[in-house]
Each structure stands twice: as structure tokens, then as C-alpha cells.
């Protein structure tokens, strides 16, 4: 299936998205090839959709770059979001090349690589720096987005200039005061741009995306009206949002508690690098929450997508060590409800409200603005850069199609616009551009931490079923009383249990029973949440006791 690209032979530039053009906000990764040189822009993951049972996250199928590893000159990162960086540990295991990015992006990546025990050269660049990798000279161009330190790329090739926008919006009043570099984009427009790849996330939305500063006003409104504790959930990487929450907390003379491993870690990194500014004695450790008057406490945490194991989820179901929701608390979900997560988020909101909290969320309040450009901004970008050819990226087909329509309306001829699929090869030459061939592309499901080796990446799912097998936990609950009436039955196929003693199976059964008994009432009332708990508990147990990672499928019947 995999073919060497014809770019290998002559004066041709190939552009190959390996992910990001069939999904919104996931798997972003694009390969550029000229002659014998290859560069990779971003290598992102995607979080599983609700029907992908037993999966932690998804990465692009890397076999094409793995097979061409010897030609890869470097990896360039546009920003630190996981949908652009999350596949790096896996990619670097197979393709150990230097990685280029801005300081915050690299600091976030460094942390992840350490977790996975992967090392490589991380080379920090600043906006307007240039780097030469084989036939490519790449310039980093500052953009505004929902994470600080984002850049677009200006890529000079022997055939002409390419602009890859990364994720962006045109924020005229960014929280950190670092404006988008309009000047450089216009310079490319004047020089002539062969091709632009641009962010399509909000290509369906008219007008302009609000500035991040708008969120501050919404926060101020809520802070002014609230007497109780305020809990704000957002993405750990959204340093701007965290900064704004802290600024408003200071303005209202409140103290801030940061809760959750990833949020604490990111805040520390951003603080050390100077991207986050917190006045002294504002950030307190969580154990001091107990002594704090309600009207002085602001808690920052993750879990805005309803992730079952997140801090917010544990707070919502009464399982958090330090935080118990009570009447008077206000919870702000300051993030977009990502499509596919609505059910999980709705569940968390229900639990929080049942416990007496007032919950503010996207649909009911202005507490989130998007990090992506809407139609008018996309048109402005198109007018600044004035590309000859155009490829919409970062979206599902419908967003790409809307963006393509905008491009046509901005004067780019129909046959100069290409809506690509993952693995499509767009070839540019002196005579034009065409989509002629296809390389192998797809998705790899990752469960657990181990970064698979080269062959593993391809064989992994098959091997995993063959090697570590599958464990099914079946539990029947009486619909009303929530008493366990069936099981827990432990059924396994191809897993070590088959030749293990009955003792181990009995132990697992006890463990599952205990887990069910330990959870709070509203967890047991919630099949999805209970499934997540059982799975997490058993996964940890099998990892700790046997170092095995079977696929685990909890099935809960209501009888
Ligand atoms: Zn993105
Ligand atoms: Zn992003």
C-alpha cells in the first residue's frame, strides 16, 4: 500500500496530511517533501470518542514516515496543544530527529517526553527566527490562539513559499499583549505564496471570533455576584484563561487553588518561563482550602470535557479528598463543549447541580471564546497571504468545504483549491498542482503508556489482542436499588487468566466488588461513570501486579 512519493525523483514538492483533515481538533500532522528531504509539521493525538471503548487516545498511523525515517530532517511544532504534539513520543521512538518550537511549546513537550522516557534534541526558536532543514528554510511567525507562544510557519522551498497557519485567530487584544505578526504574513503575500494551508475549525462561523479579553468581563460579572466558592474548569494548556482567572481573583481579593496534576504542572512551567504572572501569596496549596472563607476561594482545575477520571468529575461525584460541593458554590466550565463530549459534560453538570452548585457553561453564559478564526478572519488571512494554491486543514470535511468556499469567494480559482484526505499526496511542480496518489494513513489506538517500537506501531492492535487479550467485566445492577444482582463475572479471551489460578480470578472479582461498594451513590447511578471506574481500577491492578495491558471492557446491565 505504501509507495515512495514521486517527489523523490524530480523538482516537485509533495504535501501529505497524515492526520487533521478528517477530524476537528485531532491528529494534526503534515509531511512536506522535496527531493530527498522531508519535514514534519506537528504530530498530534486525538482523545477517543465515546464509542471507542478501552482506548486512552488515538494517534495517526506513522508507518509512512517510519518507512522514510532516513529522509526526515526535523519536526516543527506550531504550538503546545496536544492535538499537535501528543503523538511525538511515539513518533520520536521511530524517527529520532530534532524538534523545533517556541519555548513554552517545548517545555510542555519536554514534560511529556520525560513521562514516556523519550529523549531528543529540542531546539527553541523565537518568532521571526529561521531554520534550514535540507531544501527547506522555515520561518516562525507569531499568531494569536488559545495557548501562548503559537506560531505559523513560512516554509521556503525551491519551488516557492508555503504558509502553514497552525491554529490561529486574529486577537487584537491578546492577554499577553503579543500581537499576531500581520507584517510578516503580508510580506509573504507581496513576495508571492505558492501554497497556504489554513485552520478551518471555525470556517462555518460568520464574523469575527471574540478576543480572549471578553472572557474577563464574563468572569468579572460572575465574581461580582457570587458569595460562595468559585470553581473554574478549563484546559490545563490554556495559560491565557488561567491568567485571566487569576487576574480577576486578585481584583476581587480572592486566593487561588490550583487542583489536578496537569494543571499544576502547566502552571508551574508557565510561571517559570514567565508566561504566567501570579502575585505573591495568591496561589495557595490545596490543604489550606479548608481554612479559607468561602467568599475568598477560587479553585482552578481541569475536567471541562467531563473526563470521568478528572478532578472535576471526582468533585462532581463527591469523591474528591479536599473539595465537597455545597450550596452556594459556583462552577464555571470555561471551555468549548467539544462535539462528542456533550453527554459526559452534561452528566457532570447534572451531578454538580444535584449537589447544589450553580453551574455556568458555554450554552448559558459567555465564559468561553474560541481560539480559532471565524470567516472574516480567515478571509483576512487569505487576503494578506494571497496564495496561488490553497489547502484547508484542521477540520472535518464540512469545515474544509466551507473554508474552500471562502477561498473561492476570495478569488482563488476552484482548481487551485484541494480538499485532501489523510494520506493524500498533493504534488506541486513548475506546471501546477495535482492530487495524484495516496500513501498509507490511518489511526492507531493507544491504551496505556508504552510507546511502541517501529514494528509495534503497525502490529500493535493485532498483537495486543493476541498477546494481552481482552478482559470483560460483567455486572448486573438492579435498576432501582442499584444492588449488584449479577456478577461481577470476569470473562477473558487470550489473557493470562486462562492459565492462571482460580485465586487470581477470585481476587479480581473481589477487587471489582469492592470498587462498586466504595463508589458514591451517584456514580453507581451512572453507568458510564461506573464503567470508567471499574476499567481504571482493573487496569492499574493488572499493570501493578502483572505488568500486562489487556483491553478491558466493563459491561453493566440494568435488570
Ligand atoms: Zn489544533
Ligand atoms: Zn490549538
Amino acid at each position: 500500500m505504501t509507495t515512495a512519493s514521486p517527489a523523490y525523483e524530480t523538482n516537485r514538492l509533495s504535501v501529505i496530511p497524515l492526520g487533521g483533515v478528517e477530524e476537528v481538533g485531532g491528529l494534526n500532522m503534515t509531511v512536506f517533501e522535496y527531493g530527498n528531504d522531508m519535514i514534519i509539521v506537528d504530530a498530534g493525538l486525538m482523545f477517543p470518542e465515546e464509542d471507542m471503548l478501552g482506548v486512552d487516545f488515538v494517534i495517526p498511523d506513522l508507518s509512512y514516515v517510519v518507512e522514510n525515517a532516513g529522509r526526515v530532517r526535523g519536526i516543527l511544532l506550531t504550538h503546545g496543544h496536544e492535538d499537535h504534539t501528543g503523538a511525538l513520543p511515539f513518533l520520536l521512538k521511530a524517527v529520532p530527529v530534532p524538534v523545533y518550537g517556541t519555548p513554552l511549546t517545548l517545555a510542555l513537550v519536554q514534560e511529556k517526553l520525560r513521562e514516556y522516557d523519550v529523549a531528543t534534541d529540542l531546539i527553541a526558536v523565537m518568532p521571526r527566527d529561521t531554520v534550514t532543514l535540507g531544501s527547506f528554510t522555515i520561518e516562525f511567525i507569531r499568531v494569536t490562539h488559545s495557548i501562548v507562544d503559537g506560531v505559523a510557519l513560512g516554509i521556503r522551498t525551491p519551488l516557492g513559499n508555503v504558509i502553514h497557519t497552525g491554529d490561529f485567530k486574529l486577537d487584537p487584544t491578546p492577554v499577553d499583549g503579543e500581537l499576531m505578526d500581520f507584517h510578516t504574513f503580508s510580506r509573504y503575500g507581496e513576495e508571492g505564496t505558492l501554497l497556504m494551508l489554513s485552520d478551518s475549525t471555525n470556517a462555518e462561523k460568520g464574523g469575527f471570533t471574540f478576543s480572549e479579553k471578553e472572557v474577563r468581563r464574563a468572569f468579572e460579572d460572575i465574581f461580582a455576584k457570587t458569595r460562595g466558592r468559585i470553581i473554574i474548569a478549563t484546559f490545563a494548556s490554556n495559560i491565557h484563561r488561567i491568567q485571566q482567572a487569576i487576574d480577576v481573583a486578585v481584583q476581587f481579593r480572592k486566593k487561588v487553588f490550583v487542583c489536578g496534576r496537569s494543571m499544576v504542572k502547566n502552571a508551574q512551567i508557565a510561571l517559570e518561563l514567565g508566561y504566567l504572572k501570579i502575585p505573591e501569596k495568591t496561589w495557595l496549596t490545596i490543604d489550606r482550602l479548608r481554612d479559607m472563607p468561602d467568599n475568598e476561594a477560587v479553585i482552578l482545575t481541569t475536567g471541562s470535557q467531563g473526563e470521568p477520571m478528572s478532578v472535576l468529575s471526582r468533585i462532581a461525584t463527591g469523591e474528591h479528598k479536599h473539595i465537597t460541593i455545597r450550596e452556594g458554590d459556583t462552577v464555571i466550565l470555561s471551555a468549548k463543549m467539544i462535539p462528542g463530549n456533550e453527554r459526559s459534560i452534561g452528566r457532570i453538570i447534572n451531578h454538580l447541580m444535584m449537589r447544589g452548585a450553580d453551574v455556568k457553561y458555554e450554552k448559558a453564559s459567555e465564559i468561553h471564546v474560541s481560539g480559532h478564526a471565524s470567516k472574516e478572519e480567515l478571509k483576512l488571512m487569505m487576503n494578506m497571504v494571497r496564495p496561488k494554491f490553497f489547502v484547508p486543514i484542521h477540520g472535518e470535511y464540512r469545515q474544509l468545504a466551507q473554508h474552500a468556499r471562502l477561498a473561492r469567494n476570495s478569488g482563488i480559482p476552484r482548481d487551485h483549491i484541494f480538499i485532501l484526505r489523510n494520506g493524500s499526496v498533493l504534488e506541486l511542480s513548475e506546471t501546477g498542482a495535482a492530487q495524484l496518489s495516496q500513501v498509507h494513513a490511518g489511526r492507531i489506538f493507544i491504551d496505556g503508556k508504552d510507546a511502541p517500537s517501529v514494528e509495534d506501531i503497525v502490529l500493535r492492535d493485532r498483537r495486543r489482542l493476541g498477546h494481552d487479550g481482552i478482559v470483560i467485566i460483567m455486572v448486573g445492577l438492579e435498576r432501582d436499588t442499584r444492588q449488584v444482582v449479577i456478577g461481577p463475572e470476569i470473562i477473558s479471551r487470550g489473557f493470562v487468566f486462562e492459565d492462571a489460578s482460580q485465586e487470581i480470578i477470585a481476587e479480581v472479582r473481589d477487587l471489582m466488588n469492592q470498587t462498586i461498594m466504595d463508589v458514591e451513590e451517584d456514580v453507581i447511578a451512572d453507568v458510564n461513570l461506573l464503567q470508567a471506574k471499574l476499567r481504571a481500577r482493573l487496569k492499574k491492578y493488572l499493570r501493578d501486579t502483572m505488568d500486562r495491558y489487556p483491553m478491558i471492557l466493563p459491561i453493566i446491565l440494568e435488570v
Side-chain angles (χ1 to χ4, degrees), residues 129-170:
D129 281 358
T130 56
V131 165
T132 297
L133 300 171
S135 320
F136 300 97
T137 297
I138 302 100
E139 181 177 16
F140 299 85
I141 311 169
R142 186 181 296 286
V143 293
T144 39
H145 181 43
S146 48
I147 188 169
V148 286
D149 239 7
V151 287
L153 306 176
I155 306 171
R156 291 174 190 281
T157 79
L159 263 185
N161 297 337
V162 177
I163 291 281
H164 184 303
T165 66
D167 291 3
F168 77 100
K169 68 174 182 179
L170 307 186

Side-chain angles (χ1 to χ4, degrees), residues 485-506:
V485 287
I486 303 171
E489 292 299 334
I490 311 295
I491 303 155
S492 72
R493 289 288 175 271
F495 183 63
V496 64
F497 285 163
E498 284 177 348
D499 29 73
S501 62
Q502 284 303 311
E503 259 164 68
I504 296 181
I505 297 179

